[in-house]
Amino acid sequence: MADLNVPYIVPTAALVVALALRGPMLWRAGRRDPDVRATVLLLLWAAAVLVVITPINIHRLNVWTGIPNIAAPWAYSFLTAFCATSLTMIMRWREPPSDRRRRRMIAIYWIYAGIIAALWITFLLADVPEPRIYDLDTYYATTPWLREHILLYVVAHAVSSLVSASMLWKWYPEITKGWIKSGVVCLQMGYASGLVFDVAKLIAVGARWSGHDLDALSTKVAPPFALFKAALVALGFIIPQAGPAIQTRIRNGRDYRRLRALWRTVRVTNAAAATARFGVLTPVDLKLMQREQRIHDALRVLAPYFDHTAYQRHYAEAAAEHGEDQARGLAGAVAIHKAVDAYTANAPLSTHDQPPLIGPEVTEYLDTIGKALHRPRLLDRIRQRTTSTESVTVHV
């Protein structure tokens, strides 16, 4: 049985880890944001379904409770709750808040709550004494009340998948945000997998009604599509929320690393006497903000040593071969190096005709200056060309 549990354990573990790591934070935010709260519930229902339907857990429930096949109403109830939450989540995405949307969402919750109640009633009325771990749906396909029990969850799941896929299909051409598009693609694939699961189950059950044996469709074909659907739908709802945050984190990390060379260049000024010390787990956006602030503080200290006239010459030389941003970065890098050398030599420039601060032509291009500092040969070439031009001008 251990080998048969592996396909269930992998997606289940992924969902449980996602809930453990993100659940508390998402739930706190969900107090203010119902969309986030619904995402947590969606993950919870999906994880609960996968936990319950794992073969070893079905066996444990039978043993612990002493009720054969008790896992069926539990799993199908969580699956039905998952369907209701999926439908309402799509409605939240597609439609702005309104009384009509709220009424429709409440109606969906009541309908699916009624289905969950009916699942428990039909199970309690059915006579299912023989525990079945893998083939419950087909083994009891002709049993009174469990037959209705099976039809309830399969039809509810199929309707949810069809309606969700239809809403997403109509909405997709209107979507402009890339992360939402990616999420919708995952959802569409997930609901398509869910429909394959439903069709396989219905054919297998229908075959039993007509006296035929197509149990393999229910026991072998359908389960992988159910697992695939759970993973894709959960991913589809997570991507639009987690994607932008991950993208921002990556961008901030990239900017933080790019500014490392610039900070190492200007930190000789000791502009920040007392700075907060951040640990490894400190969010990168806070680290980036601190590094940017330190660099700005250092540039204020370097202002008396910064040669604005030389900067303009460096910029003109760089702009002859490079675009605006790169030229600003190269010129700023060369000029800041000279300002640091002047600061180290304690040789401030004359204040005559010199601005009191380093202007936006430098401060607004810190990122490109940081990139330029990683290209010392190019900086040396700009510096040499500027020096040669100055020599020719002086000679003439």
Side-chain angles (χ1 to χ4, degrees):
M1 185 179 288
D3 292 340
L4 294 172
N5 289 320
V6 173
Y8 297 87
I9 291 172
V10 173
T12 303
L15 284 168
V16 170
V17 169
L19 274 170
L21 295 178
R22 305 290 295 175
M25 185 187 71
L26 289 173
W27 190 262
R28 287 194 296 271
R31 295 175 184 176
R32 302 181 300 274
D33 189 344
D35 290 352
V36 176
R37 185 164 59 245
T39 302
V40 175
L41 286 173
L42 189 85
L43 286 172
L44 183 62
W45 302 145
V49 172
L50 294 176
V51 167
V52 174
I53 67 172
T54 302
I56 192 171
N57 289 334
I58 295 176
H59 175 70
R60 286 170 177 168
L61 278 172
N62 290 335
V63 173
W64 291 344
T65 63
I67 303 174
N69 305 306
I70 188 64
W74 274 114
Y76 301 156
S77 295
F78 288 131
L79 180 62
T80 303
F82 178 85
C83 292
T85 308
S86 298
L87 279 170
T88 55
M89 277 290 290
I90 295 171
M91 293 172 64
R92 291 179 190 277
W93 281 6
R94 290 183 67 232
E95 306 173 22
S98 66
D99 288 339
R100 179 176 177 271
R101 189 189 78 169
R102 183 177 62 83
R103 288 193 299 269
R104 290 172 62 199
M105 289 170 60
I106 291 174
I108 288 172
Y109 286 132
W110 275 112
I111 290 170
Y112 277 84
I115 293 171
I116 291 173
L119 285 170
W120 281 95
I121 292 171
T122 53
F123 178 79
L124 292 174
L125 291 173
D127 182 20
V128 286
E130 178 68 23
R132 308 302 299 184
I133 294 178
Y134 303 104
D135 61 347
L136 175 80
D137 294 343
T138 50
Y139 186 84
Y140 288 111
T142 58
T143 301
W145 294 112
L146 201 71
R147 172 183 56 215
E148 288 78 11
H149 179 88
I150 295 165
L151 280 177
L152 267 174
Y153 97 82
V154 174
V155 171
H157 184 260
V159 170
S160 168
S161 296
L162 279 171
V163 174
S164 298
S166 175
M167 288 194 296
L168 292 171
W169 183 266
K170 294 176 182 178
W171 183 41
Y172 186 82
E174 304 172 13
I175 302 173
T176 57
K177 296 181 179 180
W179 285 112
I180 295 181
K181 274 186 176 290
S182 299
V184 168
V185 169
C186 288
L187 288 174
Q188 290 279 40
M189 294 172 61
Y191 290 127
S193 298
L195 287 172
V196 174
F197 167 84
D198 297 324
V199 171
K201 284 284 185 181
L202 287 173
I203 292 175
V205 170
R208 279 282 186 160
W209 293 346
S210 62
H212 297 85
D213 184 353
L214 294 178
D215 291 7
L217 288 174
S218 178
T219 58
K220 302 295 184 182
V221 175
F225 285 99
L227 297 174
F228 197 46
K229 186 235 173 146
L232 283 172
V233 171
L235 190 63
F237 284 118
I238 292 171
I239 284 176
Q241 293 187 19
I246 294 173
Q247 186 178 35
T248 299
R249 184 178 181 85
I250 292 173
R251 183 175 62 248
N252 288 341
R254 179 199 62 201
D255 292 344
Y256 180 76
R257 291 188 297 272
R258 282 180 178 175
L259 290 176
R260 182 184 298 139
L262 178 56
W263 167 237
R264 287 177 176 174
T265 300
V266 301
R267 67 182 177 183
V268 295
T269 61
N270 295 317
T275 58
R277 292 187 177 275
F278 290 150
V280 176
L281 300 179
T282 303
V284 71
D285 57 334
L286 293 180
K287 293 182 179 181
L288 174 63
M289 184 168 56
Q290 184 193 60
R291 177 162 286 179
E292 289 175 338
Q293 185 58 52
R294 287 178 170 181
I295 291 172
H296 282 286
D297 290 343
L299 291 179
R300 281 193 288 272
V301 173
L302 289 174
Y305 306 87
F306 189 86
D307 191 337
H308 292 267
T309 303
Y311 167 83
Q312 293 299 333
R313 289 196 297 267
H314 299 321
Y315 170 70
E317 190 67 38
E321 296 182 1
H322 305 281
E324 170 74 9
D325 286 355
Q326 189 173 2
R328 292 288 181 189
L330 292 168
V334 173
I336 287 173
H337 258 304
K338 288 186 175 180
V340 169
D341 292 341
Y343 173 85
T344 305
N346 194 22
L349 301 174
S350 171
T351 58
H352 181 65
D353 294 333
Q354 286 288 336
L357 295 173
I358 298 176
E361 68 276 7
V362 174
T363 58
E364 292 184 2
Y365 291 90
L366 296 182
D367 184 62
T368 53
I369 290 172
K371 290 170 60 179
L373 288 169
H374 289 284
R375 306 179 66 181
R377 292 183 179 179
L378 185 55
L379 294 180
D380 288 341
R381 190 159 66 246
I382 296 294
R383 190 181 294 110
Q384 291 170 2
R385 288 180 179 178
T386 306
T387 303
S388 300
T389 302
E390 290 175 353
S391 299
V392 171
T393 304
V394 171
H395 178 74
V396 173

